[in-house]
Amino acid sequence: MSLLVETEKSGYDINKQFAGSIGYYWTASHQQIYKTLATMQHDGWVEFRLMEQQGKPDKKFYSITQTGLQELSNWARQPVKPQAERNELLIKLLLADLVGADVIITELEQLLGQQQKTLAEYQHIQSEFFTPEPTTAQTLQCKASFLTLRYGITSTTKNIHWLEEAIDLLK
Amino acid sequence: MSLLVETEKSGYDINKQFAGSIGYYWTASHQQIYKTLATMQHDGWVEFRLMEQQGKPDKKFYSITQTGLQELSNWARQPVKPQAERNELLIKLLLADLVGADVIITELEQLLGQQQKTLAEYQHIQSEFFTPEPTTAQTLQCKASFLTLRYGITSTTKNIHWLEEAIDLLK
DNA sequence: CAGGACATGTAATTGGTTACATGATTGC
DNA sequence: GCAATCATGTAACCAATTACATGTCCTG
């Protein structure tokens, strides 16, 4: 729903946003998107207007309603609920005896490579779009995107650190 | 199932383990635990023996079977599936215009306080149980617990860094 | 005598994935 | 001719949460 605050969008558009940069911190399958839009429409949180197209299926442009805006604002005022951390990797560590440490180490190394690649991408984005860094004078919108990217960079960096430490100790 | 590799346990025991240190990287409600144990037992991955007790309800001590061990080992050899990141906080950042930046900042500060407390706890545990740090000579079991703690410390540190940066920029 | 630990569950619902389905248009 | 893009969905299933349920013993 947050994505609809800015401007009206179709389910397809939202799906593309998840596939892009938004996907770094939130994702949903297209099935999930359409289902959610349908229930939100049913609850009166969003409404849509049909846009007929030739050759392609019709588009439904969803926009947020007053009720929806109220609902969203209420949600944003509630503290985030601590979500259960579930880390398969740490479970596997316990099983190192069972499958052999080398299997685990190989996987850790693979993940390390991936994370290093991701970090490089993020840093590229930062140097391209956020130099110099946003100051307090910038719009909230701009700060939010910057902090999102920074979140990606800090978590990836920490992951790399931990993976290196883990590989080092297990070897 | 990983928790049953070491020794037989009841659902109640597992629940307590989740409530303790294991809970930092994996949790489940007692309902979920009993349900999962029941299906695993049905699939032949675990078996139990009843322990009758006077005054208290009977206990079911579950232990892992050969089939279960095989299944678990297969699972551990598979690469972890990348799980969809979902971060409510970053969504809220986008809504700072709607609810006012101060609401968001207050929440960030609250979280910062919590994380600092958590970090202090972790560091206490580290200094108590892992000084000096485990070397390559230690058992895998010991290394695994250490790395789990290290994971907690690195991610909490990362959260603190990011929260400080975010508060700073939004103010 | 109230509240928590002990010990197990069922039922209903939500949130999400996987698989299946449709059908025209555009680019290689 | 084949795959990808555009654009929507349904159906079945799995995982997890919330709420409800039972009954004893021990401690303050």
Side-chain angles (χ1 to χ4, degrees):
Chain A
M1 186 151 50
S2 296
L3 299 180
L4 295 176
V5 171
E6 196 198 336
T7 172
E8 60 169 12
K9 292 188 179 79
S10 67
Y12 194 81
D13 295 334
I14 292 173
N15 193 38
K16 268 195 301 185
Q17 279 201 284
F18 282 149
S21 59
I22 301 275
Y24 294 130
Y25 61 98
W26 203 276
T27 31
S29 59
H30 79 271
Q31 293 93 331
Q32 183 66 13
I33 294 164
Y34 289 121
K35 209 199 294 182
T36 309
L37 283 171
T39 49
M40 288 199 302
Q41 192 260 321
H42 178 264
D43 294 347
W45 296 4
V46 298
E47 56 193 13
F48 65 86
R49 55 186 192 85
L50 265 178
M51 165 146 280
E52 281 157 51
Q53 300 182 111
Q54 64 274 50
K56 296 178 208 168
D58 292 356
K59 250 184 161 171
K60 282 180 178 177
F61 276 105
Y62 285 89
S63 52
I64 197 163
T65 62
Q66 274 305 313
T67 326
L69 217 53
Q70 189 55 52
E71 207 65 42
L72 189 61
S73 149
N74 289 343
W75 173 79
R77 279 164 213 279
Q78 296 292 116
V80 291
K81 45 179 180 181
Q83 52 198 18
E85 174 96 23
R86 296 217 168 93
N87 194 322
E88 293 190 3
L89 214 49
L90 294 173
I91 300 265
K92 279 199 186 181
L93 239 40
L94 291 175
L95 300 176
D97 272 327
L98 185 68
V99 295
D102 50 325
V103 178
I104 309 292
I105 291 171
T106 310
E107 176 155 21
L108 293 175
E109 278 168 346
Q110 209 127 42
L111 287 169
L112 180 60
Q114 282 168 26
Q115 291 289 299
Q116 279 164 341
K117 239 165 102 183
T118 310
L119 181 61
E121 279 170 39
Y122 287 172
Q123 276 169 341
H124 178 73
I125 296 171
Q126 180 171 1
S127 67
E128 191 149 337
F129 296 104
F130 296 104
T131 32
E133 289 191 12
T135 63
T136 33
Q138 237 76 39
T139 63
L140 274 172
Q141 218 50 227
C142 165
K143 288 184 200 168
S145 337
F146 177 67
L147 286 173
T148 299
L149 180 64
R150 291 296 304 159
Y151 184 83
I153 289 177
T154 37
S155 7
T156 313
T157 308
K158 288 297 165 192
N159 286 342
I160 290 172
H161 282 160
W162 183 81
L163 285 168
E164 285 171 344
E165 189 179 348
I167 291 166
D168 209 50
L169 182 60
L170 291 178
K171 262 188 175 162
Chain B
M1 188 155 42
S2 297
L3 299 180
L4 295 177
V5 171
E6 197 196 336
T7 172
E8 61 170 13
K9 293 188 178 82
S10 68
Y12 193 82
D13 295 333
I14 292 174
N15 193 38
K16 269 197 299 185
Q17 277 202 286
F18 283 149
S21 60
I22 301 275
Y24 294 131
Y25 61 97
W26 203 275
T27 31
S29 59
H30 79 272
Q31 293 92 331
Q32 183 68 14
I33 293 163
Y34 290 121
K35 208 196 299 179
T36 309
L37 282 171
T39 49
M40 288 198 303
Q41 191 260 321
H42 177 264
D43 293 348
W45 297 3
V46 297
E47 55 194 16
F48 65 86
R49 53 187 193 83
L50 264 178
M51 164 148 279
E52 279 156 52
Q53 301 183 112
Q54 64 272 51
K56 296 178 207 167
D58 293 354
K59 249 183 162 175
K60 284 180 178 176
F61 276 105
Y62 286 90
S63 52
I64 196 162
T65 62
Q66 274 305 314
T67 326
L69 218 53
Q70 187 57 52
E71 207 65 43
L72 189 61
S73 149
N74 289 343
W75 172 79
R77 280 164 212 279
Q78 295 292 115
V80 292
K81 46 180 179 180
Q83 52 197 17
E85 173 95 23
R86 294 219 169 90
N87 194 322
E88 293 190 2
L89 214 51
L90 293 172
I91 300 265
K92 280 199 185 179
L93 238 42
L94 291 175
L95 300 176
D97 272 326
L98 184 68
V99 295
D102 51 325
V103 178
I104 308 293
I105 291 172
T106 310
E107 177 157 18
L108 293 175
E109 278 167 347
Q110 211 126 43
L111 287 169
L112 179 60
Q114 283 168 26
Q115 291 290 299
Q116 280 164 341
K117 240 165 102 183
T118 310
L119 181 61
E121 280 170 38
Y122 287 171
Q123 277 169 343
H124 178 72
I125 297 172
Q126 181 171 359
S127 67
E128 190 147 337
F129 296 104
F130 297 105
T131 29
E133 289 193 12
T135 61
T136 35
Q138 236 76 38
T139 64
L140 274 171
Q141 217 51 229
C142 165
K143 287 183 198 169
S145 337
F146 178 67
L147 286 173
T148 299
L149 180 64
R150 291 297 305 159
Y151 184 84
I153 290 178
T154 37
S155 43
T156 312
T157 309
K158 155 211 111 182
N159 287 340
I160 291 172
H161 281 161
W162 183 82
L163 285 167
E164 284 172 343
E165 189 179 347
I167 291 166
D168 208 52
L169 182 60
L170 290 179
K171 261 189 174 159

